[in-house]
Amino acid sequence: MHGSAATSLCALLLLVAVPQAATLQLASSCHARAATTSEAATRAGAPSLVVTERCARSVTIGLPAEACFDAYSQLERIPEWNPILGRVKVISPTRSEWSARLPPALARIVPNCEWTSQQCLDSSECTISWQSVSGIDTSGEAIFEADGPEACVFTLTISYSLPSWLTPVATSPLARTFVNSSVNTTVERFKAAIEAESSAAAIAAEIDALSLEAVAVAAAASGRVTRATTPGG
């Protein structure tokens, strides 16, 4: 992982793991350490070692897998549900640009907490996967498995990698709690949003149906009145 990308992800993990003042100090330290380590690795010609963390959460949603897949396929909406994402911009069917949501003070230290990902949307399997190709080293997968005709199980998996010298940060209980909480919040927010949108659409459809029925009844009643008042009717 490039030094600046490691610094950005390090700062993101530190964001809630320590008080903000300490976070800013540690983020600056990470930046200096990343630059030093990268330079040393380059001189030595040795590949950098990484540590990878993975988190997965599942939730049952009261909608068909296909409907949930279609909603999550709108990648630019993911920041609505994910509390640590600031923006996702789809630039092609297979590429997208992602950025993290950071407080202004921390954003001044790590202004480029962003990455480009390659995504794959498999409608036949109701699976969405992505892998960063530049910037922060991260990947993820969203799987929607049918649980009967009108429900599915949504499983979201997020993985990220850091240089081995950042293992204490990546594997700390607070950092893991932060990542787990973010993934859990994402699946719960998505479930609430998609079910609410489905309910609203169902109510709107029912109102439209009742309105059409009322119009038909009124038209029929008007026709009966017209016939009754017409001579010879």
Side-chain angles (χ1 to χ4, degrees):
M1 179 186 294
H2 191 275
S4 61
T7 303
S8 298
L9 187 50
C10 171
L12 189 59
L13 293 174
L14 288 169
L15 176 60
V16 295
V18 295
Q20 182 167 327
T23 298
L24 297 178
Q25 181 179 0
L26 286 169
S28 299
S29 175
C30 283
H31 180 77
R33 182 69 177 277
T36 301
T37 302
S38 178
E39 182 181 352
T42 299
R43 287 198 304 268
S48 60
L49 300 177
V50 298
V51 56
T52 299
E53 288 289 298
R54 177 179 175 275
C55 176
R57 287 290 181 275
S58 297
V59 66
T60 300
I61 302 177
L63 290 169
E66 293 77 10
C68 294
F69 169 83
D70 289 343
Y72 213 85
S73 293
Q74 302 172 50
L75 301 182
E76 294 184 348
R77 291 193 62 189
I78 293 180
E80 296 178 24
W81 315 307
N82 190 313
I84 63 174
L85 282 180
R87 182 182 70 102
V88 176
K89 180 181 180 181
V90 176
I91 56 179
S92 80
T94 59
R95 289 292 177 100
S96 51
E97 296 174 344
W98 304 57
S99 63
R101 179 185 290 121
L102 298 178
L106 190 57
R108 288 195 293 269
I109 300 294
V110 281
N112 298 315
C113 193
E114 55 192 29
W115 57 99
T116 299
S117 290
Q118 178 172 300
Q119 70 263 7
C120 177
L121 282 62
D122 187 344
S123 59
S124 63
E125 297 293 332
C126 289
T127 299
I128 303 166
S129 59
W130 57 93
Q131 169 69 59
S132 62
V133 294
S134 68
I136 290 176
D137 189 354
T138 180
S139 62
E141 186 175 51
I143 301 175
F144 301 92
E145 298 178 290
D147 186 23
E150 297 299 325
C152 69
V153 176
F154 168 34
T155 300
L156 177 63
T157 304
I158 299 295
S159 300
Y160 60 91
S161 298
L162 285 170
S164 58
W165 57 268
L166 282 173
T167 298
V169 173
T171 61
S172 68
L174 286 173
R176 284 175 169 169
T177 297
F178 168 54
V179 175
N180 290 342
S181 175
S182 299
V183 174
N184 189 62
T185 297
T186 301
V187 299
E188 291 295 343
R189 283 182 178 177
F190 177 75
K191 169 184 168 69
I194 194 66
E195 289 182 343
E197 290 172 11
S198 177
S199 296
I203 291 173
E206 185 175 352
I207 291 174
D208 288 343
L210 291 173
S211 297
L212 290 174
E213 184 179 349
V215 169
V217 170
S222 177
R224 288 195 296 271
V225 170
T226 300
R227 288 194 298 273
T229 57
T230 300

